[in-house]
Amino acid sequence: MSESKPEPKSEPRKLFIKTYGCQMNVYDSERMAEALEGYDQVQTPDEADMILLNTCHIREKAAEKVYSELGRFKGLKADKPDLKIGVAGCVAQAEGEEIMRRQPMVDLVVGPQSYHRLPELEAKARSGEKALDTDMPEEDKFEHLKSRPKAQRGPTAFLTVQEGCDKFCAFCVVPYTRGAEVSRPVDRVLAEARDLVERGVREITLLGQNVNAYHGAGEGGEQSLAQLIWQLDKIDGLERIRFTTSHPNDMSDDLIEAHGTCDKLMPYLHLPVQSGSDRILKRMNRAHTAESYLRLIERIRAARPDILISGDFIVGFPEESDQDHADTLALIEEVNYGQAFSFKYSTRPGTPAAERELVDADVADARLQELQALITRQQRTIQDSMVGRELDVLFEKPGRFEGQMVGKSGYLHAVHVDDCTAKRGEIARVRIVSSGPNSLSGALV
Ligand code: SAH
Ligand code: SF4
Ligand code: F3S
């Protein structure tokens, strides 16, 4: 644009984003920050001209947090009338205008499929109007999100390749908040991956609510997640590939095989099962059984014997009996998890399970504790078994002590190394010498 008189350069406005929920929200927050031109990100809400909450609707607590957080911003807005407050993410999608009714100081509400419209919405909010967009348009929002030129990145990054879900588990809001399942085209994913590598990224985690259902358009038709991984494997400078979250029913043969043959694919698989009782799995509409899950794990371990398996569990699903719970514990015993996330069932309005009779809260609490104790034991035993081994560690940041660096092993354990000569972004071999509550320690080989 050529203008005779250059506009006086205005100070960038300040943007504070708070992110809740899953890794996809982390990725989305980064992209929203990039898309909002004329803003610099800040670390506290007090300095901000715009506050954006990127929210999660998965459990009741997660959703309620948003309103209590908004309540806290009331004072800020009273002091600074120009401050704009926005709500993005899955609560925005699920509750839409209701948010502005409950918290009239909210200026902007934007659902996860409309982030490419954020600059327009921001302008509308700036002009004093309420801005709301919870459409689910067909276009690929990421293609319409502007990216600023080449800021250097840390060694690890998320890259969303698939979004949404068609599975409709009886407890889950994701199919409603993220919409139908869509995959991004292969060339777009590869271009973004190359760009990340140029900016310093060494490890990419491919994201999707059902990432292994990926079927992006590519050369010669749709490509599977495994085919995508093999193309990423060819990118020089990209050293590690991960993906999350997978559904057991989409764990295809080529993906299992890739775990055995692709060196860049890390030996870690997050494969939620939710319950070990067939009766409950059926009521959950999971479309797999405990047995089919166990056989799947067997096949994955045959391809990659040392793979670390991670899972998700819901305890206290409606009508869950002591026997159902015992079945879940038995499945956990058989799998031997290196990591797991477990949650007490939370009723989500609008989902099929919301109509059913709840398990007594104390019973559910006791089951959760029992399950978590078992998983902690397994996790700890697997982590402790790393002592004495030599592992490749990707160093991500300095540790708490002078000269110390922290990185991750292929199994995703945090590893601390004192007097570390390896730099951020380097992969170095480390002999593991001890295992603490949350991390390993070792020395460079
Ligand atoms: N797409 C992933 C999980 C998305 S949600 C999958 O299919 O596995 C992440 C986890 O939150 C789920 O795996 C489940 O364990 C938990 N979760 C989802 N809805 C829940 C609810 N209503 N109450 C408690 N936990 C829930
Ligand atoms: Fe939710 Fe089930 Fe879809 Fe996972 S597979 S996002 S738990 S509906
Ligand atoms: Fe939460 Fe939405 Fe992710 S509900 S877990 S932020 S997909």
Side-chain angles (χ1 to χ4, degrees):
M1 203 160 59
S2 68
E3 274 177 86
S4 50
K5 224 167 82 197
E7 292 240 344
K9 226 179 170 282
S10 57
E11 280 280 297
R13 290 203 171 99
K14 296 193 169 78
L15 171 69
F16 173 73
I17 303 190
K18 186 159 180 177
T19 307
Y20 303 85
C22 61
Q23 291 149 321
M24 195 171 287
N25 265 8
V26 175
Y27 176 84
D28 286 346
S29 289
E30 286 167 3
R31 304 307 306 270
M32 285 193 278
E34 285 177 350
L36 280 173
E37 275 182 297
Y39 279 89
D40 281 348
Q41 237 177 309
V42 291
Q43 300 309 315
T44 62
D46 319 2
E47 344 161 34
D49 302 299
M50 163 114 166
I51 294 175
L52 205 51
L53 298 183
N54 193 8
T55 62
C56 174
H57 201 247
I58 202 79
R59 283 167 290 274
E60 193 180 351
K61 259 196 202 133
E64 278 308 313
K65 247 187 230 163
V66 178
Y67 290 102
S68 58
E69 189 75 47
L70 285 171
R72 256 177 270 162
F73 295 146
K74 246 184 210 145
L76 282 181
K77 188 128 177 173
D79 294 345
K80 200 199 261 184
D82 264 358
L83 171 66
K84 298 295 167 198
I85 295 182
V87 178
C90 291
V91 176
Q93 188 63 46
E95 299 189 1
E97 250 172 305
E98 177 62 23
I99 298 172
M100 287 169 172
R101 263 195 294 274
R102 261 181 85 176
Q103 286 288 2
M105 61 158 169
V106 171
D107 304 286
L108 184 159
V109 172
V110 58
Q113 300 316 324
S114 303
Y115 292 158
H116 51 299
R117 297 179 181 159
L118 193 56
E120 284 164 54
L121 294 166
E122 187 270 346
K124 194 170 171 191
R126 271 281 142 231
S127 76
E129 280 180 71
K130 296 275 180 196
L132 170 90
D133 194 334
T134 52
D135 288 352
M136 292 207 175
E138 286 283 312
E139 72 247 29
D140 179 350
K141 66 178 177 185
F142 299 118
E143 290 320 307
H144 298 270
L145 275 174
K146 268 199 216 126
S147 174
R148 284 189 209 174
K150 310 285 172 222
Q152 199 61 21
R153 296 281 306 246
T156 64
F158 294 131
L159 201 178
T160 294
V161 301
Q162 178 278 341
E163 194 167 355
C165 180
D166 298 334
K167 299 238 174 353
F168 292 93
C169 298
F171 49 80
C172 184
V173 293
V174 171
Y176 312 97
T177 62
R178 292 280 169 169
E181 205 222 286
V182 277
S183 297
R184 296 177 69 197
V186 172
D187 56 350
R188 301 279 193 268
V189 174
L190 295 178
E192 193 169 326
R194 284 191 206 102
D195 179 62
L196 287 170
V197 170
E198 275 170 30
R199 291 155 71 178
V201 170
R202 295 290 160 262
E203 172 181 301
I204 291 179
T205 302
L206 306 174
L207 296 182
Q209 268 93 26
N210 265 289
V211 72
N212 58 344
Y214 179 84
H215 56 99
E219 246 174 75
E222 290 190 343
Q223 299 206 2
S224 67
L225 185 65
Q227 286 173 301
L228 178 68
I229 288 169
W230 280 113
Q231 300 208 52
L232 289 163
D233 179 73
K234 291 190 212 137
I235 298 178
D236 279 337
L238 177 62
E239 307 294 344
R240 291 177 160 193
I241 304 167
R242 302 179 185 277
F243 60 88
T244 197
T245 295
S246 298
H247 191 285
N249 291 3
D250 293 315
M251 210 57 215
S252 58
D253 292 345
D254 60 350
L255 189 56
I256 295 175
E257 197 185 311
H259 268 294
T261 48
C262 180
D263 290 339
K264 290 186 182 178
L265 188 56
M266 291 295 101
Y268 184 104
L269 180 66
H270 184 57
L271 196 61
V273 63
Q274 315 299 355
S275 168
S277 153
D278 287 345
R279 199 179 72 89
I280 293 297
L281 285 169
K282 196 157 185 193
R283 309 278 295 142
M284 286 178 165
N285 192 31
R286 285 290 293 182
H288 60 76
T289 62
E291 185 62 21
S292 68
Y293 180 84
L294 289 169
R295 296 295 78 83
L296 182 60
I297 297 284
E298 234 168 48
R299 286 173 52 219
I300 295 161
R301 284 195 169 131
R304 178 82 203 215
D306 64 335
I307 198 163
L308 188 144
I309 302 290
S310 154
D312 285 351
F313 296 89
I314 295 178
V315 302
F317 187 75
E319 297 155 34
E320 184 189 66
S321 67
D322 285 338
Q323 183 56 51
D324 295 321
H325 176 61
D327 290 348
T328 301
L329 298 179
L331 176 135
I332 294 170
E333 291 281 7
E334 196 161 336
V335 173
N336 195 21
Y337 285 93
Q339 169 75 275
F341 306 90
S342 45
F343 315 94
K344 196 161 83 164
Y345 170 72
S346 169
T347 302
R348 306 313 292 128
T351 60
E355 309 297 319
R356 302 182 197 158
E357 203 179 318
L358 287 174
V359 167
D360 177 84
D362 291 337
V363 171
D365 280 331
R367 286 181 190 161
L368 184 63
Q369 277 189 22
E370 192 180 9
L371 184 148
Q372 286 181 339
L374 172 59
I375 283 173
T376 305
R377 273 203 304 281
Q378 295 187 337
Q379 213 173 313
R380 196 57 213 261
T381 309
I382 291 177
Q383 192 190 298
D384 291 351
S385 74
M386 300 292 157
V387 175
R389 285 183 63 182
E390 281 182 13
L391 303 176
D392 286 332
V393 173
L394 170 59
F395 288 97
E396 291 177 17
K397 57 182 183 206
R400 263 199 307 145
F401 305 106
E402 183 77 35
Q404 190 187 55
M405 290 290 289
V406 192
K408 296 267 168 60
S409 75
Y411 308 106
L412 218 49
H413 290 125
V415 180
H416 289 80
V417 174
D418 291 337
D419 306 317
C420 186
T421 51
K423 296 193 178 57
R424 187 167 186 237
E426 279 179 18
I427 294 177
R429 210 138 175 93
V430 173
R431 171 170 283 279
I432 305 299
V433 295
S434 69
S435 170
N438 299 308
S439 66
L440 298 165
S441 298
L444 293 184
V445 175

